[in-house]
Amino acid sequence: MAAARLLVSCPDRPGIIAAVSRFLFEREVNIVSSDQHSTDPEGGTFFLRMAFTVDHLTVSREALAEEFAREVAQPMGMTWRLRHLDEPPRMAIMVSREDHCLLDLLWRWRRGELDCDVGIVVSNHPDLRADVESFGVRYEHVPVTPDTKPQAEARALELLAGSDVVVLARYMQILTRDFLDRVGAPVINIHHSFLPAFAGADPYRRAHDRGVKMVGATAHYVTEELDAGPIIEQGIERVTHRDDPAALAHVGRDVERVVLARAVRWHLEDRVLVDEGKTVVF
Amino acid sequence: MAAARLLVSCPDRPGIIAAVSRFLFEREVNIVSSDQHSTDPEGGTFFLRMAFTVDHLTVSREALAEEFAREVAQPMGMTWRLRHLDEPPRMAIMVSREDHCLLDLLWRWRRGELDCDVGIVVSNHPDLRADVESFGVRYEHVPVTPDTKPQAEARALELLAGSDVVVLARYMQILTRDFLDRVGAPVINIHHSFLPAFAGADPYRRAHDRGVKMVGATAHYVTEELDAGPIIEQGIERVTHRDDPAALAHVGRDVERVVLARAVRWHLEDRVLVDEGKTVVF
Amino acid sequence: MAAARLLVSCPDRPGIIAAVSRFLFEREVNIVSSDQHSTDPEGGTFFLRMAFTVDHLTVSREALAEEFAREVAQPMGMTWRLRHLDEPPRMAIMVSREDHCLLDLLWRWRRGELDCDVGIVVSNHPDLRADVESFGVRYEHVPVTPDTKPQAEARALELLAGSDVVVLARYMQILTRDFLDRVGAPVINIHHSFLPAFAGADPYRRAHDRGVKMVGATAHYVTEELDAGPIIEQGIERVTHRDDPAALAHVGRDVERVVLARAVRWHLEDRVLVDEGKTVVF
Amino acid sequence: MAAARLLVSCPDRPGIIAAVSRFLFEREVNIVSSDQHSTDPEGGTFFLRMAFTVDHLTVSREALAEEFAREVAQPMGMTWRLRHLDEPPRMAIMVSREDHCLLDLLWRWRRGELDCDVGIVVSNHPDLRADVESFGVRYEHVPVTPDTKPQAEARALELLAGSDVVVLARYMQILTRDFLDRVGAPVINIHHSFLPAFAGADPYRRAHDRGVKMVGATAHYVTEELDAGPIIEQGIERVTHRDDPAALAHVGRDVERVVLARAVRWHLEDRVLVDEGKTVVF
């Protein structure tokens, strides 16, 4: 069963769903699920995700895209993306030394939970090579020091070229604006706190100092401003006065890996749209 | 801003969304949100909820309904309901002695969280009269004994006549099949366990005996079979070995009232459709 | 069954539990539950909560306290408190216009969930008088304007005199350092965010602007620094991109009242000790 | 720092804590944490867990145990266990084909989260050999057919001999009473439902048929009656009408592995005592 997904955002106005659904129906596309969101019915932004089967498509894939652009998207000022599911996205992972998020992603990928090709893992440490290679995935060690950061980022960009999404699975280096401009794919990070609380370094230590009763984790798209990008997913777990910072980290690991895995899966399933520093998650 | 909601279920087939959205667009109805669900794209059932504004409606409400029936619903075999929001549903509540679910509903209703008219509270005990009347709501005491159950149900049916929904906010009497056949409105119950665990009497005692680590609550539509109707919402809270049955009941009360309030609100917002003993909650 | 509770904090050292438990055993006090916490076995602080029955106490209550002070507490440098449960603490509540936390506390108190005397509710608005008086509780309206703040605080202090704990159930005025110095009882506040995120004004608006996927609430002891006092309890609930600030407030209300009620109950049950800006909650 | 833990259960009576803590204090054992539970202060059962450091122990380990037995345990009718932490328990794992619980345990063990020796993994399928051996753990394939079940159990008993705990990490065979009698160690199972709901086969399918709004998992000690042993830990996650049985299983896997890991860790940390078909978890 051939399937595809359409993501749309555009200025809101009446008739968008009617236009899109008629266009698809006329080409014998069968809508399987449809989600929409309007930030404001008067003058806001309209977001749409449709999943459909294209077994009986009466035109070619190329024609479908061209005609949609000409007949629907351009007249309505849409930003849009149409993806056929038999062309899975290519995912790259960056990691430092902590293995829990990385292994969890690789396990899920091997089990078929993440519909993508994992092309490469890039790390600033050599530690996790054997684990990664046991999944049949290429591992490249790109050391980073204050002096070599530009060359390291250049090397990473070469290795990541062609990726559709880059996941920072506890990658403990700050990426430069230049890197983000040139990587050419969305970058998803997991931060080990409930943002905006404890943005920046050493969140479990600071959570302990503040005496919070829960620790959290936040998966977000990376932007130039540290830990301030659009939030995709958050999670939380209870802790008590008995937990020292190491215990908070222990509890937090279970939250981090689940939150990151969910964010990555939703991204791969084309469920996430960005709306002015926030996300719409269908 | 005049608003309305459409609920639809029908055999799945291509073109449903196109037909509905075109019909509405042509009458200058503006779709604000749209949710759909298909149990199976091939041969399953299709469910749809649309919320829209009708400020610029080009036909009368009556014509809108008639034309929708003739042009869309009948050709596609739809079960459907169209409700204008300025005609709020009438809600009745039945209760015994426990006040936590009742007071929570009345308080939310007073705050404007529940869009309905609360016409009456019927109880088999006199205890909660002052509380209910302080909200300006009529309270009727209809005692029930094994001998007088038929007369009591007949009296309750008189009092509930005209209700659009009946909520059992910890009403500790089993309703007969005859009552359910004649009440003419959906009946929502809160059961104080995570169904299907501990269906029937005294769930907190039985949860304690089994040594569970969480207690739950379940809001469901009432059917003839006790505690077996379609589940609308469930909730859960942690407990420990330190909690005796009274402590479980204490913890559970907080879950019960929130779960029931959510289920009632979703019902009043036309978010719940029944699908062969289960619910679709949009 | 006469019962009492002992709360202790002191420099950690071997033999504390042995000393306390022997002292109690020799006076035929029967320990029902015992919790302890050490921040660090070497050189840290030791915290202890014991609950016991005193039906067979071989000395007077006064002698029990005096002997404990002399024989155990002073030699070990303890800060301690012994409370007999037949002497319930007096609780005062301060509130502005939002009723959800206030009513929830009063319901729970009437139901017997909160073991205290509620002496008075002080509000800077007249709105909630009827609700409060229906519980048989005194309501005093003490208006606060920028010009009259000193007089208003002086009046509030008169009304709160003799209270063992003051609960701010959404009291939207900042208390001065002078007020806190003179009130002579711990003050518990509910803040409508997951602290330290969104400390200060208008947290739901700011949570919406940041696009968080969960909203929270935090109950804490009030200190001079705004929203920075020791955290007693926190809670959280999921939200989505569909929720505007009003919807976040709606969801948040259910979290606020449960978190505040838990914190107040734990405080009344002598479960909370303060440790350098944080709490130990037994 | 040498450490040990004491677990006690006995008929409740005054003076138990005093006796135990004095005994330990006199031998220069320093209590680091202490938890107790009484099912009923009058005539119930008393449970105690103490963790302590034994760096300055004034007697030998053997003498400590002998003297405790003679001076404290026997006079008070205690069931007790004293374990020194430098003698970690030996854990064996049984598994079928699903890898998520197994890999999660092995990965936590490698990270140092589980204080034990993992001696062997026994499986009725050959599938997971490479994964297990990559952790340096022995893997034994013991096929089970209806005809060979007695021989298979006999072979498994040989392989498990000397284990202090056996964990069924999704082992899809029912163990006989004879096996349980002879294995000589507690057996912990993970069941993929919120027990007692959906005990027995195919719980996700049955959860889907019933239309529950949450799926759960339960870790429990195995007893002769299927899925009826003492519950150690439970967890739960939300699902919706969109989730088919495969999706419930997908969501449930994340709950299962966390619930099982917690139960195993608590067991290894001597936090779990059994009390008439239920557990006390300190």
Side-chain angles (χ1 to χ4, degrees):
Chain A
M1 198 162 68
R5 294 186 197 120
L6 175 68
L7 282 188
V8 164
S9 60
C10 64
D12 205 352
R13 53 181 259 186
I16 303 174
I17 291 181
V20 173
S21 56
R22 191 184 54 203
F23 175 89
L24 296 172
F25 179 60
E26 289 170 355
R27 282 150 190 85
E28 298 208 8
V29 171
N30 190 18
I31 300 172
V32 173
S33 79
S34 169
D35 288 283
Q36 71 160 100
H37 174 62
S38 299
T39 58
D40 186 341
E42 310 289 332
T45 303
F46 173 93
F47 298 90
L48 176 70
R49 177 188 187 267
M50 281 187 170
F52 33 80
T53 55
V54 290
D55 292 308
H56 310 294
L57 191 62
T58 57
V59 297
S60 71
R61 289 186 180 188
E62 292 68 33
L64 183 73
E66 279 165 31
E67 291 168 15
F68 184 77
R70 192 175 60 243
E71 298 179 23
V72 181
Q74 284 166 17
M76 290 190 160
M78 290 176 171
T79 301
W80 64 286
R81 184 154 51 102
L82 175 64
R83 193 167 71 76
H84 292 270
L85 269 60
D86 51 13
E87 300 164 3
R90 285 151 300 175
M91 182 163 87
I93 302 175
M94 300 183 81
V95 70
S96 292
R97 273 186 166 129
E98 290 268 14
D99 65 358
H100 55 287
C101 289
L102 172 73
L103 289 179
D104 198 54
L105 288 174
L106 292 174
W107 285 337
R108 291 175 193 271
W109 171 66
R110 187 173 70 178
R111 204 180 281 134
E113 292 184 19
L114 301 176
D115 191 17
C116 65
D117 293 329
V118 178
I120 191 166
V121 172
V122 175
S123 178
N124 57 330
H125 291 283
D127 311 40
L128 302 173
R129 178 180 300 277
D131 277 320
V132 169
E133 291 181 347
S134 78
F135 287 88
V137 171
R138 178 180 172 199
Y139 186 88
E140 287 291 335
H141 175 207
V142 181
V144 182
T145 66
D147 287 347
T148 64
K149 183 141 183 168
Q151 297 90 314
E153 286 205 340
R155 175 64 181 143
L157 284 170
E158 284 174 22
L159 294 167
L160 301 175
S163 298
D164 294 305
V165 60
V166 176
V167 177
L168 309 185
R170 299 297 304 266
Y171 182 67
M172 309 310 281
Q173 294 285 326
I174 296 176
L175 299 174
T176 64
R177 174 179 182 165
D178 180 60
F179 181 94
L180 294 171
D181 285 347
R182 293 168 61 195
V183 70
V187 179
I188 297 174
N189 183 47
I190 180 74
H191 184 74
H192 40 313
S193 81
F194 185 79
L195 288 176
F198 311 120
D202 219 358
Y204 290 127
R205 163 64 63 183
R206 289 152 63 208
H208 180 260
D209 290 348
R210 180 63 186 92
V212 296
K213 300 301 184 187
M214 295 172 159
V215 291
T218 304
H220 63 93
Y221 289 117
V222 176
T223 56
E224 198 187 343
E225 189 182 346
L226 186 67
D227 297 330
I231 293 170
I232 305 170
E233 170 64 337
Q234 300 188 286
I236 211 104
E237 190 64 63
R238 283 200 163 265
V239 294
T240 79
H241 59 270
R242 297 185 195 279
D243 295 305
D244 61 14
L248 298 191
H250 179 148
V251 170
R253 280 200 291 267
D254 279 351
V255 184
E256 291 168 37
R257 61 180 186 166
V258 169
V259 165
L260 179 60
R262 252 187 231 144
V264 168
R265 185 160 55 83
W266 293 344
H267 177 89
L268 294 172
E269 292 177 357
D270 303 305
R271 297 188 175 280
V272 192
L273 292 112
V274 173
D275 170 33
E276 298 186 356
K278 299 187 277 189
T279 62
V280 170
V281 180
F282 285 127
Chain B
M1 196 161 67
R5 294 187 198 118
L6 175 68
L7 282 189
V8 165
S9 60
C10 64
D12 205 352
R13 53 181 260 186
I16 302 174
I17 291 181
V20 173
S21 57
R22 191 185 54 203
F23 173 89
L24 295 172
F25 179 61
E26 288 171 356
R27 282 148 190 87
E28 297 208 7
V29 171
N30 190 19
I31 301 170
V32 174
S33 79
S34 169
D35 288 283
Q36 71 159 100
H37 175 60
S38 300
T39 57
D40 187 340
E42 311 288 332
T45 304
F46 174 93
F47 298 90
L48 176 70
R49 177 188 187 266
M50 279 186 173
F52 32 81
T53 56
V54 290
D55 292 309
H56 310 295
L57 191 62
T58 56
V59 297
S60 70
R61 289 185 180 191
E62 292 68 31
L64 184 73
E66 280 165 32
E67 292 168 15
F68 184 78
R70 192 173 60 243
E71 298 179 22
V72 181
Q74 284 166 18
M76 291 190 160
M78 290 177 171
T79 301
W80 64 285
R81 183 154 52 102
L82 175 64
R83 193 166 73 76
H84 292 269
L85 270 60
D86 52 14
E87 300 163 3
R90 285 151 299 175
M91 182 164 89
I93 303 176
M94 301 184 81
V95 69
S96 292
R97 275 188 165 127
E98 291 265 14
D99 66 357
H100 56 286
C101 288
L102 172 74
L103 289 177
D104 200 55
L105 288 175
L106 291 173
W107 166 78
R108 288 175 195 272
W109 170 67
R110 187 175 72 178
R111 286 194 71 119
E113 291 185 18
L114 301 177
D115 192 16
C116 64
D117 293 329
V118 178
I120 192 167
V121 172
V122 175
S123 178
N124 58 330
H125 291 283
D127 311 40
L128 301 173
R129 177 179 300 278
D131 277 319
V132 169
E133 291 181 348
S134 78
F135 286 90
V137 172
R138 178 180 174 198
Y139 187 88
E140 287 291 335
H141 175 207
V142 181
V144 182
T145 66
D147 288 347
T148 65
K149 183 142 184 166
Q151 297 91 313
E153 285 204 341
R155 174 65 182 141
L157 284 171
E158 285 174 20
L159 294 167
L160 301 175
S163 299
D164 294 305
V165 60
V166 176
V167 177
L168 309 185
R170 299 295 306 266
Y171 182 68
M172 309 311 281
Q173 295 284 326
I174 295 176
L175 300 174
T176 63
R177 176 181 180 163
D178 180 60
F179 181 93
L180 293 171
D181 284 347
R182 292 169 61 196
V183 69
V187 179
I188 297 174
N189 183 46
I190 181 73
H191 183 74
H192 40 311
S193 81
F194 186 80
L195 289 175
F198 310 120
D202 218 359
Y204 289 127
R205 163 65 64 184
R206 289 152 64 209
H208 181 260
D209 290 349
R210 181 60 186 92
V212 295
K213 299 301 183 187
M214 294 172 159
V215 291
T218 304
H220 62 93
Y221 290 116
V222 176
T223 56
E224 198 187 343
E225 189 182 346
L226 186 67
D227 298 330
I231 293 171
I232 306 169
E233 171 63 338
Q234 301 188 287
I236 210 105
E237 190 64 62
R238 283 201 163 263
V239 294
T240 78
H241 60 270
R242 299 186 193 278
D243 295 306
D244 61 15
L248 298 192
H250 178 148
V251 170
R253 280 199 291 266
D254 279 351
V255 185
E256 291 168 36
R257 63 177 186 171
V258 169
V259 166
L260 180 60
R262 251 186 233 145
V264 168
R265 185 159 57 82
W266 292 344
H267 178 88
L268 294 172
E269 292 176 358
D270 303 305
R271 296 186 177 281
V272 192
L273 293 113
V274 172
D275 170 32
E276 298 187 355
K278 298 187 279 190
T279 62
V280 170
V281 180
F282 284 128
Chain C
M1 197 164 67
R5 294 187 198 118
L6 174 70
L7 281 189
V8 165
S9 60
C10 64
D12 205 354
R13 54 181 260 186
I16 302 174
I17 291 181
V20 173
S21 57
R22 190 185 54 203
F23 174 88
L24 295 172
F25 179 61
E26 288 172 356
R27 283 149 189 86
E28 297 206 8
V29 171
N30 190 17
I31 300 171
V32 173
S33 78
S34 168
D35 287 283
Q36 71 159 100
H37 174 62
S38 300
T39 57
D40 185 343
E42 310 289 332
T45 304
F46 174 93
F47 299 91
L48 176 70
R49 176 188 188 266
M50 280 186 171
F52 32 80
T53 56
V54 290
D55 293 308
H56 310 295
L57 191 62
T58 56
V59 297
S60 71
R61 288 184 181 190
E62 293 69 29
L64 184 73
E66 278 165 32
E67 292 167 16
F68 184 78
R70 191 174 60 243
E71 298 179 24
V72 181
Q74 284 165 17
M76 290 189 160
M78 290 176 172
T79 301
W80 64 286
R81 183 155 52 102
L82 175 64
R83 193 167 73 75
H84 292 270
L85 270 60
D86 52 13
E87 299 163 4
R90 284 151 300 175
M91 182 163 87
I93 303 175
M94 301 184 80
V95 69
S96 292
R97 273 188 166 127
E98 289 268 14
D99 65 357
H100 55 287
C101 288
L102 172 74
L103 289 178
D104 199 54
L105 289 174
L106 292 174
W107 286 336
R108 290 176 194 270
W109 171 67
R110 187 172 70 177
R111 205 181 279 134
E113 291 185 19
L114 300 177
D115 191 16
C116 64
D117 294 329
V118 177
I120 191 167
V121 172
V122 175
S123 179
N124 58 330
H125 291 283
D127 311 39
L128 301 173
R129 177 179 300 277
D131 277 320
V132 170
E133 291 181 348
S134 77
F135 287 89
V137 171
R138 178 180 173 199
Y139 186 88
E140 286 292 333
H141 175 206
V142 181
V144 181
T145 66
D147 288 347
T148 64
K149 183 142 184 167
Q151 296 91 313
E153 286 204 340
R155 175 64 182 142
L157 284 171
E158 284 175 22
L159 293 167
L160 301 175
S163 299
D164 294 305
V165 61
V166 176
V167 177
L168 308 185
R170 298 296 305 266
Y171 182 68
M172 309 310 281
Q173 294 285 326
I174 295 175
L175 299 174
T176 64
R177 175 179 181 165
D178 180 61
F179 180 94
L180 293 171
D181 284 346
R182 292 169 60 195
V183 69
V187 179
I188 297 174
N189 183 46
I190 181 73
H191 184 73
H192 40 311
S193 81
F194 185 79
L195 289 175
F198 310 120
D202 218 358
Y204 290 128
R205 163 65 63 182
R206 289 153 63 208
H208 180 260
D209 289 348
R210 181 63 186 92
V212 295
K213 299 301 184 187
M214 295 173 158
V215 292
T218 304
H220 62 94
Y221 290 117
V222 176
T223 57
E224 198 187 344
E225 190 182 347
L226 186 67
D227 298 330
I231 293 170
I232 305 170
E233 171 63 337
Q234 300 188 288
I236 211 105
E237 190 65 62
R238 282 200 164 264
V239 294
T240 79
H241 59 270
R242 298 185 195 279
D243 295 305
D244 61 15
L248 298 191
H250 179 148
V251 170
R253 280 200 290 268
D254 279 352
V255 184
E256 292 168 37
R257 61 180 185 165
V258 169
V259 165
L260 179 61
R262 252 187 232 143
V264 168
R265 184 159 57 82
W266 292 343
H267 178 88
L268 294 172
E269 292 176 359
D270 303 305
R271 297 187 176 281
V272 192
L273 293 112
V274 173
D275 170 32
E276 297 187 356
K278 298 187 279 190
T279 62
V280 170
V281 180
F282 285 128
Chain D
M1 197 161 69
R5 297 188 196 116
L6 175 69
L7 283 188
V8 164
S9 60
C10 64
D12 205 353
R13 54 181 260 187
I16 303 175
I17 291 181
V20 173
S21 56
R22 191 185 54 204
F23 174 89
L24 294 172
F25 180 61
E26 288 171 355
R27 282 150 190 85
E28 296 206 8
V29 171
N30 190 19
I31 301 171
V32 174
S33 78
S34 168
D35 288 283
Q36 71 159 99
H37 173 61
S38 299
T39 57
D40 186 341
E42 311 289 332
T45 303
F46 174 93
F47 298 90
L48 176 71
R49 177 189 187 266
M50 280 186 173
F52 33 80
T53 55
V54 291
D55 292 309
H56 310 294
L57 191 62
T58 56
V59 297
S60 70
R61 290 185 179 188
E62 293 68 32
L64 184 73
E66 280 165 30
E67 292 168 16
F68 183 77
R70 190 174 62 244
E71 299 179 23
V72 182
Q74 285 166 16
M76 290 189 159
M78 290 175 171
T79 301
W80 64 285
R81 184 156 52 103
L82 174 64
R83 192 167 73 77
H84 292 270
L85 269 62
D86 51 13
E87 300 163 3
R90 285 151 300 174
M91 181 163 87
I93 303 175
M94 300 184 80
V95 69
S96 292
R97 274 187 166 128
E98 290 265 15
D99 66 357
H100 56 287
C101 288
L102 172 74
L103 289 178
D104 199 56
L105 288 175
L106 290 174
W107 167 78
R108 290 175 194 272
W109 170 67
R110 187 175 72 179
R111 287 195 71 118
E113 291 185 18
L114 301 177
D115 191 16
C116 64
D117 293 330
V118 178
I120 192 166
V121 171
V122 175
S123 178
N124 58 330
H125 291 283
D127 310 40
L128 302 173
R129 177 180 300 277
D131 277 319
V132 169
E133 291 181 348
S134 78
F135 287 90
V137 171
R138 178 181 174 197
Y139 186 87
E140 286 291 334
H141 175 207
V142 180
V144 181
T145 66
D147 287 349
T148 64
K149 183 141 183 168
Q151 297 90 314
E153 287 204 340
R155 174 65 182 141
L157 285 171
E158 284 175 23
L159 294 167
L160 301 175
S163 299
D164 294 304
V165 60
V166 176
V167 177
L168 308 185
R170 300 296 305 266
Y171 183 67
M172 309 310 281
Q173 293 284 326
I174 296 177
L175 300 174
T176 63
R177 174 179 183 164
D178 180 60
F179 180 94
L180 293 171
D181 284 347
R182 293 168 62 195
V183 69
V187 178
I188 297 175
N189 183 46
I190 180 73
H191 184 74
H192 39 312
S193 81
F194 185 80
L195 289 176
F198 310 121
D202 219 357
Y204 290 127
R205 163 65 63 184
R206 288 152 64 208
H208 180 260
D209 290 348
R210 180 62 185 92
V212 295
K213 299 300 184 186
M214 294 172 160
V215 291
T218 304
H220 63 94
Y221 289 116
V222 176
T223 57
E224 198 188 343
E225 189 182 346
L226 186 67
D227 298 330
I231 293 170
I232 306 170
E233 171 64 338
Q234 300 188 290
I236 211 106
E237 190 63 62
R238 283 200 163 263
V239 294
T240 79
H241 59 271
R242 297 185 194 279
D243 295 305
D244 61 14
L248 298 192
H250 179 149
V251 170
R253 280 199 291 267
D254 280 351
V255 185
E256 292 167 37
R257 63 178 185 171
V258 169
V259 165
L260 179 60
R262 252 187 233 143
V264 168
R265 186 160 56 83
W266 292 344
H267 177 89
L268 293 172
E269 293 176 358
D270 303 304
R271 297 187 175 280
V272 192
L273 294 111
V274 172
D275 170 32
E276 298 186 356
K278 298 188 280 191
T279 61
V280 170
V281 180
F282 285 128

